[in-house]
Amino acid sequence: MSDHPHTDEAAPNEAATAEALHDSEALFVLLDRWVARGWLRALDRAFAAFLAREVPDAPAPLLLAAALASHQLGRGHVCLDLERTLAEPDLALSLPPEGDSLDDPPPRPSELLGELALEDWQEALTHPLVIGHGPGNTPLVLDGTRLYLRRYWHHERSIQQHIAARLETPPPRDGADRRPDQAMDLDALSQALAALFPSSDTLDWQKAACALAARSPFAVITGGPGTGKTTTVVKLLALLQTLALGEGQRALRIRLAAPTGKAAARLNESIAGQVSGLDLNTLAPLLERVASEDETRRSPTRTRSLQDVNEQFEKGSNAVSSSAVAPLRTAIPTEVTTLHRLLGSRPDTRHFRHNARHPLPLDVLVVDEASMVDVEMMAALLDALPPRARLVLLGDKDQLASVEAGSVLGDLCARAEGGHYTPETADWLSQATGQALPAEMRDAEGAPLDQAIAMLRVSHRFDAESGIGRLAGAVNRDEPAKQKRTAIREVLGHGYADLSHLKLEADHDRHLERLVVSGNAAGFPDRGKSRGEGRMLRGRPLPPPVGYRHYLEVMRNLEVMKNAAPKAEGNGEIDRETLDDWARAVLAAHGQFQLLCALRRGPWGVEGLNERIRVALEKEGLIDSGDGRRLWYPGRPVLVTSNDYGLGLMNGDIGITLALPQPASPSGDARRGPALRVAFPAGDGSGQVKWVLPSRLQAVETVFAMTVHKSQGSEFTHTALLLPDAPNPILTRELVYTGITRARHWLTLVETGRGQLLDAVERRVMRVSGLGRSSAR
């Protein structure tokens, strides 16, 4: 309740609010109240105060716009859209922040901006020392109705210019100094595509994506979970290397990267598996034929004619030697690094070792999980690319955007659903793939960017009987609210074998404890048994859904097994191989369940849920944290929250705290108790384990519960997605979709109170930037 209940104070308060648009002191009083409430960051208020000190005659509407523009960066927006802000003023602040009681609130932006006209606001934003309209050194840039901090205006312009330049550049003749009049060898491309992809009566979007990416120095391949993005990119790399090696050029220098260590490790593992299983012998005839063409030109008297090789090509790969494939296979990389490591991050600075003056030494760069790349990182990446290098962005356009400012992939793919391929592109694609584009995908007015984007549309992970796939599709569908709500209710009520819908009636509902401890298999039809039929997990039949009890019992059971428990050997050394095997088993078991939530604070946020789960596991005797007194204890899972290059750990890495047996001392006396170490996957796809002392981990947090944002780039056998019981701006369609698609085999959707699912899926993440507008040109 307000401390000033008398209505007599209403008029003075309203007057003070209105005065804030005309008087800087009144404005800063209001900004202070917003900061105290958590609606505005102290950083944003400080930026406005800095401008007021440096330019004393700056008008109050300008200082307000500066504070709001700064605030947008913290909310993921690249700029402040003045027109949109006046249309929906309260969206300009973080309303309400998590944990706000809403008692005695300060005036909202709508009360301040209600009478302000767009023209009047733009007129106030004309101070030459503060605001520019293009290149210069003013701290702010006004571009139409969008107000930027200069650095982010520069990032956005840089991205636009780099992409436009690449889209105007003809496809490179990989590995060679190509003349402007040289075109891609369409015949070689077509035959290589035919060798990599089986013939099909229906349009193969993976094949089309490879063709489009080979045609352009800049390409985007987007698609939902299970649509084969990794398979496509592996075949694309084989295709590009074949075209290069087949022309007698050196192998392309290809690098693979991802935004986080977790995403890099996952891509590393999947790429390695795809490359090892890829049948490259089908490309051997093409490699030999191109080599024969070259030799025929140099030596027309060769006894083995080009016609002979062509005939062998028509007969198939068994007719020719596969020796030409060996260099091709070794030329396809499997090592994946983080973007920070690729660019060479410098401690305590925003700059990287690689830039326009010191470009990356590569010919092709593939970036996975590109939806997580923010505008600043994308600008740095494009700046460091050699002008003739290819860039391929890979990701799901419908996932949550980056935590930092910008939604680059989403902006670039704004028109991907409709295709918008020009007749020229459609005809070329038909020649390259032997498949015709649907008429609705053609657009005579298609933009250059449209021609470089391919969307994979068929999920190979979620079939027609998958509730996970059906629910993700219903959530992500663009249709009227009533139809969307009906579709979601139908999916939830259908009884799909891989989908459970759990409703918690109150904060203390014990069903949550049963879920996180045991997995609540009873919540699935037939207790999950029917879903597991015919499906495999790491070479074994898929077991029913589990909770955290599973990995803790794996940890405990292996500790007591005499033939597997880590133990001191006669020389006092620990058996490292057995120790690593134990850690790998525990880490793999931990990945079979994860609770995801939307918020950080409150009873349904990370902080409240982590403590609640710790208590539940301790009551079951599965962990011993001394009733919360000990920070480190066996079984504690931790999430790395910032990159630590000294330890080789990346933001998003998950490790498990384990108790190592202590070897005997030289005197023969046993040391006191086990030593705690945190085991992390090595992160390079090698399957190795990295052991770290807890005292060396400075940026970690317990991760019984994880935010959906932090889960990006990860998958879990059984995922539980918990939605809070009250409306919150963070609950969006993108968040729900991302949480659902973290589930590989099992999904438990948890709703609290009256449920927020149906409301959340109608709310979109609308990140403000100018990049999306430019993409349609």
Side-chain angles (χ1 to χ4, degrees), residues 600 631-632 636-655 678 680 692-703 710:
R600 290 202 58 84
L631 176 62
W632 292 100
R636 181 195 178 198
V638 293
L639 175 76
V640 177
T641 56
S642 65
N643 295 340
D644 189 327
Y645 294 101
L647 294 176
L649 298 175
M650 299 293 112
N651 186 2
D653 286 350
I654 294 178
V678 185
F680 291 91
V692 183
L693 277 166
S695 59
R696 298 192 66 192
L697 295 170
Q698 303 302 315
V700 296
E701 59 185 31
T702 302
V703 70
K710 287 290 187 181

Side-chain angles (χ1 to χ4, degrees), residues 497-517:
D498 59 349
L499 183 60
S500 173
H501 187 200
L502 177 61
K503 294 185 178 181
L504 304 181
E505 300 300 329
D507 289 5
H508 57 274
D509 194 319
R510 307 310 297 176
H511 283 91
L512 178 63
E513 277 73 8
R514 284 195 285 272
L515 168 66
V516 297
V517 172

Side-chain angles (χ1 to χ4, degrees), residues 651-670:
N651 186 2
D653 286 350
I654 294 178
I656 307 294
T657 310
L658 299 174
L660 276 60
Q662 290 284 63
S665 65
S667 63
D669 297 329

Side-chain angles (χ1 to χ4, degrees), residues 283-304:
L283 294 168
L286 180 63
L287 292 169
E288 289 204 0
R289 180 170 65 179
V290 175
S292 298
E293 289 175 345
D294 187 55
E295 290 184 28
T296 300
R297 286 191 294 269
R298 292 198 305 264
S299 178
T301 60
R302 293 172 61 249
T303 56
R304 190 183 186 198

